[in-house]
Amino acid sequence: MRNSSSARSPHQAQDHIVAERKRREKISQQFIALSALIPGLKKIDKASVLGDTIQHIKQLQEQVKLLEEQSKRINAESVVYVDKSKSEDVSDTSSNNVSLPEIEARVLENKVLIRIHCEKQEGVLMNILREIDNLDLTVINSSTLHFGASKLDITIIAEMDDEFKLSVKELARKLRVGLLQLM
Amino acid sequence: MRNSSSARSPHQAQDHIVAERKRREKISQQFIALSALIPGLKKIDKASVLGDTIQHIKQLQEQVKLLEEQSKRINAESVVYVDKSKSEDVSDTSSNNVSLPEIEARVLENKVLIRIHCEKQEGVLMNILREIDNLDLTVINSSTLHFGASKLDITIIAEMDDEFKLSVKELARKLRVGLLQLM
DNA sequence: AGGTACACGTGATGC
DNA sequence: TGCATCACGTGTACC
């Protein structure tokens, strides 16, 4: 109604205007602030800001969910737990009980550390050493520890010739190939 | 000006009104959609929605950043390559400096294998053994190999008392806590 | 009552 | 010329 229920004294009307101005200003500022948080925002009209914000939030939430799942996986119980949560998934649901050997290789300058965690078996060490020899590595030190009744934990420190350096990946792969065929 | 520069024919004026209505409706809908994405939102006025959205986005972005860093750490930090045919990417672009010790624990029946790969340092072995003693473990065998000039690779086989069994996770965690405070 | 919040119609501006 | 977007003042409703 033009002027029935809403009677307002002049100062009230002015207050109203000012208040509304302030409200708009606040919202406007937040739109600006929000825009700054949305990457790759080209149009800055309200609808676009809101739309892109919605998309961005969805994307972020999805990403967080994924990363957290991954994080859970890592911290989940496995037979092997490596500190720094840097772990290899060893939990093998589909695997057969005849556990395959685990082979790990590290390279430091021209030295290489090779570690094999495997089933106790006749002649394993010899085969490993032969394999290492094939790779032109010189053994500097080695240790063979018996773990329980059935497992062996072998660690070897070796030296690489300068003219024949390998990446850790290649190394582990070659060792695996060499070892698997005799198990 | 009341009616100088802005002359509008009746249907134009009506179009204007309708268009504006549509625009407002769109924005309004997006506010609703946005509200649904913000957890723990109590007030639903525009200012609050925008404010909480801003906060939520910041929080999400922070979280993503953290998780991604952690993820990088996990996938990159080490030069370790474990077999199981699952290739680890070893490429380390953002590698960090002072490598923390890597602690690994395995449990087999009442035996436990503990392996620590860390910087060469005075008294490391003693501290480890003390820590192991604190955990009521009995050392059966151990090996300390020097890897290059700066690294140590220590492997220990120990026995757990039946009445004090630990999970590998607890074990590694306790060892880490015990070790980190002296590095 | 006094404060807060909203939707509306309207004039202005920029492509 | 139109079309889209905005800020404004205003009426209204809720507590």
XYZ file of all heavy atoms in Angstrom, chain B residues 84-140:
449
model
N 57.393 -55.989 -6.112
C 55.958 -56.238 -6.159
C 55.410 -55.692 -7.468
O 54.236 -55.455 -7.593
C 55.222 -55.574 -4.996
C 55.456 -56.247 -3.659
C 54.880 -57.609 -3.626
C 53.667 -57.690 -2.742
N 53.131 -59.016 -2.698
N 56.288 -55.457 -8.404
C 55.951 -55.018 -9.763
C 55.238 -53.682 -9.788
O 55.016 -53.097 -10.818
C 55.062 -56.047 -10.470
O 53.796 -56.066 -9.867
N 54.865 -53.228 -8.622
C 54.176 -51.947 -8.575
C 55.237 -50.858 -8.560
O 55.914 -50.633 -7.593
C 53.361 -51.876 -7.303
C 52.727 -50.557 -7.071
C 51.937 -50.669 -5.779
C 51.559 -49.310 -5.261
N 52.650 -48.380 -5.335
N 55.398 -50.215 -9.678
C 56.499 -49.265 -9.797
C 56.210 -47.994 -9.029
O 55.142 -47.407 -9.105
C 56.719 -48.915 -11.261
O 55.578 -48.262 -11.744
N 57.184 -47.623 -8.270
C 57.109 -46.370 -7.535
C 57.772 -45.302 -8.377
O 58.839 -45.516 -8.931
C 57.922 -46.501 -6.247
C 57.136 -47.046 -5.092
C 56.090 -46.053 -4.646
O 56.481 -44.955 -4.245
O 54.898 -46.376 -4.725
N 57.166 -44.165 -8.453
C 57.906 -43.117 -9.142
C 58.916 -42.531 -8.174
O 58.617 -42.121 -7.066
C 56.997 -42.039 -9.701
C 56.421 -41.190 -8.605
O 56.251 -41.726 -7.498
O 56.170 -40.007 -8.855
N 60.103 -42.537 -8.582
C 61.185 -42.130 -7.708
C 61.626 -40.716 -8.045
O 62.420 -40.106 -7.349
C 62.375 -43.094 -7.859
C 63.414 -42.823 -6.807
C 61.880 -44.515 -7.740
N 61.097 -40.215 -9.112
C 61.477 -38.872 -9.524
C 61.154 -37.890 -8.419
O 60.032 -37.761 -7.984
C 60.696 -38.480 -10.769
O 59.323 -38.727 -10.547
N 62.149 -37.202 -7.992
C 61.962 -36.319 -6.863
C 62.306 -34.891 -7.259
O 63.453 -34.494 -7.289
C 62.854 -36.763 -5.718
C 62.304 -36.245 -4.403
O 61.343 -35.470 -4.426
O 62.848 -36.595 -3.378
N 61.307 -34.152 -7.558
C 61.564 -32.766 -7.956
C 61.732 -31.868 -6.750
O 62.580 -30.998 -6.723
C 60.390 -32.230 -8.798
O 59.175 -32.536 -8.116
C 60.388 -32.872 -10.161
N 60.900 -32.105 -5.755
C 60.842 -31.172 -4.637
C 61.528 -31.734 -3.404
O 61.172 -31.406 -2.292
C 59.387 -30.875 -4.292
O 58.813 -32.055 -3.745
N 62.458 -32.593 -3.599
C 63.041 -33.320 -2.478
C 63.519 -32.406 -1.364
O 63.979 -31.302 -1.568
C 64.227 -34.142 -2.969
O 65.038 -34.508 -1.885
N 63.400 -32.925 -0.195
C 63.863 -32.142 0.950
C 65.231 -32.609 1.384
O 65.790 -33.573 0.925
C 62.860 -32.271 2.084
C 62.570 -33.729 2.363
O 63.089 -34.600 1.670
N 61.769 -33.991 3.359
N 65.726 -31.909 2.327
C 67.111 -31.965 2.755
C 67.446 -33.061 3.738
O 67.957 -34.102 3.402
C 67.380 -30.637 3.390
C 66.093 -30.159 4.084
O 65.165 -30.932 4.254
N 66.039 -28.921 4.480
N 67.156 -32.771 5.007
C 67.577 -33.664 6.077
C 66.636 -34.834 6.160
O 65.552 -34.716 6.701
C 67.534 -32.931 7.421
C 68.471 -33.600 8.378
C 67.822 -31.467 7.237
N 67.060 -35.942 5.665
C 66.148 -37.076 5.645
C 65.927 -37.627 7.043
O 66.873 -37.860 7.783
C 66.705 -38.156 4.733
O 67.998 -38.500 5.167
N 64.713 -37.809 7.368
C 64.366 -38.406 8.650
C 64.608 -39.899 8.556
O 64.670 -40.458 7.473
C 62.897 -38.131 8.956
C 62.591 -36.657 9.224
C 61.095 -36.449 9.296
C 63.248 -36.221 10.512
N 64.756 -40.508 9.704
C 64.990 -41.957 9.661
C 63.759 -42.683 9.158
O 62.636 -42.281 9.420
C 65.261 -42.303 11.127
C 64.622 -41.222 11.912
C 64.731 -39.988 11.060
N 63.994 -43.720 8.418
C 62.880 -44.560 7.993
C 62.840 -45.770 8.886
O 63.857 -46.428 9.081
C 63.084 -44.993 6.550
C 62.750 -43.923 5.550
C 63.100 -44.403 4.161
O 62.814 -45.576 3.854
O 63.684 -43.623 3.421
N 61.694 -46.018 9.419
C 61.560 -47.124 10.351
C 60.541 -48.104 9.812
O 59.459 -47.723 9.399
C 61.105 -46.617 11.732
C 62.125 -45.612 12.266
C 60.934 -47.778 12.694
C 61.688 -44.922 13.521
N 60.926 -49.327 9.825
C 60.031 -50.350 9.301
C 59.917 -51.448 10.332
O 60.893 -51.784 10.998
C 60.618 -50.897 7.998
C 59.819 -51.998 7.379
C 60.516 -52.493 6.111
O 61.271 -51.713 5.501
O 60.316 -53.636 5.743
N 58.748 -51.991 10.479
C 58.572 -53.076 11.446
C 57.735 -54.185 10.831
O 56.777 -53.916 10.114
C 57.897 -52.553 12.706
N 58.115 -55.368 11.103
C 57.333 -56.521 10.671
C 57.171 -57.462 11.842
O 58.086 -57.616 12.654
C 58.061 -57.297 9.565
C 58.226 -56.542 8.277
C 59.310 -57.187 7.459
N 59.645 -56.311 6.360
C 59.261 -56.551 5.089
N 58.590 -57.629 4.797
N 59.585 -55.705 4.138
N 56.029 -58.086 11.899
C 55.802 -59.038 12.978
C 55.487 -60.395 12.379
O 54.734 -60.498 11.417
C 54.646 -58.577 13.892
C 54.276 -59.668 14.868
C 55.043 -57.314 14.631
N 56.094 -61.416 12.942
C 55.833 -62.793 12.499
C 55.766 -63.628 13.760
O 56.770 -63.789 14.440
C 56.961 -63.254 11.574
C 56.804 -64.613 10.914
C 55.536 -64.634 10.074
C 58.023 -64.900 10.042
N 54.579 -64.087 14.067
C 54.384 -64.784 15.332
C 54.877 -63.896 16.465
O 54.418 -62.767 16.583
C 55.117 -66.131 15.303
C 54.504 -67.105 14.299
C 55.503 -68.153 13.872
O 56.429 -68.431 14.643
O 55.354 -68.695 12.755
N 55.815 -64.411 17.238
C 56.281 -63.574 18.346
C 57.631 -62.921 18.043
O 58.257 -62.345 18.903
C 56.399 -64.411 19.625
C 57.544 -65.398 19.532
O 57.872 -65.867 18.438
N 58.164 -65.706 20.656
N 58.024 -63.000 16.760
C 59.266 -62.340 16.376
C 58.966 -60.996 15.705
O 57.924 -60.828 15.069
C 60.047 -63.219 15.384
C 60.433 -64.586 15.928
C 61.526 -64.493 16.979
C 62.134 -65.864 17.245
N 61.103 -66.845 17.687
N 59.882 -60.111 15.854
C 59.697 -58.828 15.197
C 60.985 -58.404 14.502
O 62.081 -58.599 15.036
C 59.233 -57.742 16.196
C 60.129 -57.725 17.409
C 59.232 -56.370 15.557
N 60.826 -57.915 13.303
C 61.969 -57.415 12.559
C 61.866 -55.895 12.503
O 60.853 -55.343 12.103
C 61.983 -57.994 11.143
C 63.184 -57.636 10.247
C 63.372 -58.723 9.202
C 62.984 -56.306 9.537
N 62.920 -55.274 12.935
C 62.929 -53.815 12.929
C 64.068 -53.337 12.061
O 65.188 -53.839 12.149
C 63.128 -53.265 14.361
C 61.923 -53.613 15.219
C 63.357 -51.759 14.326
C 62.225 -53.555 16.695
N 63.756 -52.398 11.211
C 64.797 -51.924 10.320
C 64.788 -50.414 10.305
O 63.741 -49.789 10.181
C 64.550 -52.459 8.921
C 65.599 -52.002 7.943
C 65.462 -52.781 6.674
N 66.365 -52.244 5.673
C 65.959 -51.521 4.629
N 64.682 -51.258 4.467
N 66.840 -51.072 3.767
N 65.941 -49.862 10.468
C 66.050 -48.407 10.488
C 67.081 -47.957 9.465
O 68.216 -48.438 9.454
C 66.445 -47.913 11.888
C 65.285 -48.182 12.861
C 66.758 -46.429 11.858
C 65.697 -48.879 14.094
N 66.661 -47.088 8.626
C 67.564 -46.530 7.637
C 67.701 -45.050 7.952
O 66.733 -44.318 7.858
C 66.998 -46.741 6.236
C 67.987 -46.478 5.146
N 68.891 -47.419 4.725
C 68.222 -45.377 4.407
C 69.644 -46.911 3.760
N 69.258 -45.662 3.548
N 68.896 -44.649 8.362
C 69.007 -43.265 8.841
C 70.396 -42.697 8.590
O 71.284 -43.369 8.065
C 68.716 -43.226 10.341
S 69.880 -44.183 11.314
N 70.553 -41.474 8.967
C 71.852 -40.819 8.877
C 72.807 -41.445 9.896
O 72.411 -41.808 10.996
C 71.715 -39.318 9.183
C 70.766 -38.566 8.276
C 71.399 -38.262 6.917
O 72.629 -38.409 6.792
O 70.649 -37.882 6.001
N 74.051 -41.498 9.515
C 75.063 -41.956 10.441
C 75.126 -40.966 11.598
O 75.144 -39.758 11.378
C 76.420 -42.019 9.732
C 77.243 -43.233 10.087
C 78.468 -43.337 9.196
C 78.232 -44.295 8.032
N 79.486 -44.616 7.318
N 75.114 -41.476 12.802
C 75.108 -40.570 13.939
C 75.612 -41.284 15.184
O 75.409 -42.487 15.347
C 73.682 -40.052 14.172
C 73.656 -38.725 14.879
C 72.238 -38.210 14.939
O 71.370 -38.710 14.242
N 71.995 -37.216 15.785
N 76.235 -40.511 16.054
C 76.820 -41.098 17.254
C 75.735 -41.712 18.144
O 74.751 -41.064 18.474
C 77.585 -40.001 18.027
C 78.487 -40.511 19.117
C 79.640 -41.349 18.578
O 79.908 -41.249 17.361
O 80.254 -42.110 19.360
N 75.945 -42.921 18.509
C 75.064 -43.528 19.498
C 73.690 -43.936 19.012
O 72.812 -44.208 19.824
N 73.519 -43.981 17.723
C 72.201 -44.348 17.201
C 71.830 -45.758 17.637
O 70.742 -46.001 18.158
C 72.166 -44.276 15.665
C 70.798 -44.679 15.153
C 72.524 -42.890 15.203
N 72.746 -46.644 17.425
C 72.450 -48.035 17.740
C 72.090 -48.216 19.201
O 71.117 -48.889 19.540
C 73.649 -48.923 17.381
C 73.426 -50.424 17.587
C 72.235 -50.900 16.768
C 74.662 -51.221 17.239
N 72.861 -47.540 20.058
C 72.591 -47.667 21.485
C 71.197 -47.160 21.814
O 70.455 -47.787 22.567
C 73.633 -46.899 22.284
C 73.724 -47.333 23.727
S 74.756 -46.204 24.679
C 73.753 -44.728 24.702
N 70.884 -46.046 21.248
C 69.551 -45.494 21.515
C 68.443 -46.408 21.017
O 67.406 -46.550 21.649
C 69.426 -44.116 20.868
C 70.163 -43.058 21.678
O 70.039 -43.024 22.893
N 70.930 -42.221 20.999
N 68.697 -46.977 19.870
C 67.691 -47.895 19.331
C 67.514 -49.093 20.249
O 66.402 -49.492 20.570
C 68.104 -48.372 17.925
C 68.033 -47.204 16.942
C 67.211 -49.508 17.463
C 68.644 -47.518 15.601
N 68.648 -49.610 20.689
C 68.567 -50.789 21.547
C 67.892 -50.463 22.870
O 67.118 -51.260 23.405
C 69.976 -51.357 21.779
C 70.616 -51.960 20.524
C 72.018 -52.454 20.807
C 69.746 -53.101 19.974
N 68.181 -49.279 23.353
C 67.511 -48.869 24.595
C 66.007 -48.760 24.379
O 65.200 -49.198 25.184
C 68.097 -47.540 25.078
C 67.325 -46.946 26.252
C 68.182 -46.071 27.136
N 69.092 -45.175 26.392
C 68.694 -44.038 25.831
N 67.456 -43.654 25.922
N 69.572 -43.274 25.186
N 65.672 -48.189 23.234
C 64.254 -48.042 22.919
C 63.586 -49.408 22.788
O 62.467 -49.613 23.243
C 64.115 -47.253 21.603
C 62.781 -46.595 21.403
C 62.405 -45.718 22.582
O 63.274 -44.989 23.070
O 61.241 -45.794 23.019
N 64.317 -50.305 22.186
C 63.782 -51.653 22.024
C 63.605 -52.321 23.378
O 62.624 -53.013 23.635
C 64.720 -52.477 21.120
C 64.547 -52.014 19.674
C 64.438 -53.962 21.248
C 65.506 -52.650 18.716
N 64.530 -52.054 24.243
C 64.449 -52.615 25.580
C 63.227 -52.072 26.306
O 62.512 -52.791 27.004
C 65.721 -52.276 26.350
C 65.836 -53.055 27.649
O 65.696 -54.301 27.602
O 66.016 -52.430 28.694
N 63.010 -50.791 26.115
C 61.835 -50.169 26.726
C 60.542 -50.833 26.277
O 59.539 -50.803 26.966
C 61.775 -48.677 26.374
C 62.783 -47.874 27.181
O 63.263 -48.354 28.203
N 63.093 -46.681 26.718
N 60.587 -51.371 25.076
C 59.379 -52.012 24.541
C 59.300 -53.479 24.952
O 58.475 -54.234 24.450
C 59.370 -51.887 23.015
C 59.207 -50.467 22.478
C 59.401 -50.431 20.975
C 57.827 -49.921 22.837
N 60.180 -53.880 25.861
C 60.188 -55.256 26.349
C 60.466 -56.266 25.246
O 59.873 -57.339 25.208
C 58.857 -55.582 27.039
C 58.791 -54.953 28.419
O 59.821 -54.964 29.109
O 57.711 -54.445 28.776
N 61.348 -55.878 24.337
C 61.732 -56.804 23.285
C 63.121 -57.354 23.577
O 63.973 -56.663 24.139
C 61.743 -56.088 21.929
C 60.411 -55.503 21.469
C 60.604 -54.693 20.195
C 59.393 -56.614 21.250
N 63.321 -58.592 23.173
C 64.624 -59.208 23.372
C 65.328 -59.368 22.034
O 64.828 -60.040 21.133
C 64.461 -60.613 24.006
O 63.673 -60.499 25.183
C 65.823 -61.197 24.343
N 66.472 -58.754 21.916
C 67.186 -58.814 20.647
C 67.780 -60.196 20.420
O 68.438 -60.745 21.290
C 68.307 -57.760 20.599
C 69.137 -57.934 19.340
C 67.715 -56.374 20.682
N 67.532 -60.753 19.256
C 68.067 -62.066 18.918
C 69.268 -61.927 18.006
O 70.257 -62.635 18.119
C 67.000 -62.919 18.214
C 65.878 -63.239 19.213
C 67.603 -64.177 17.648
C 64.776 -64.058 18.607
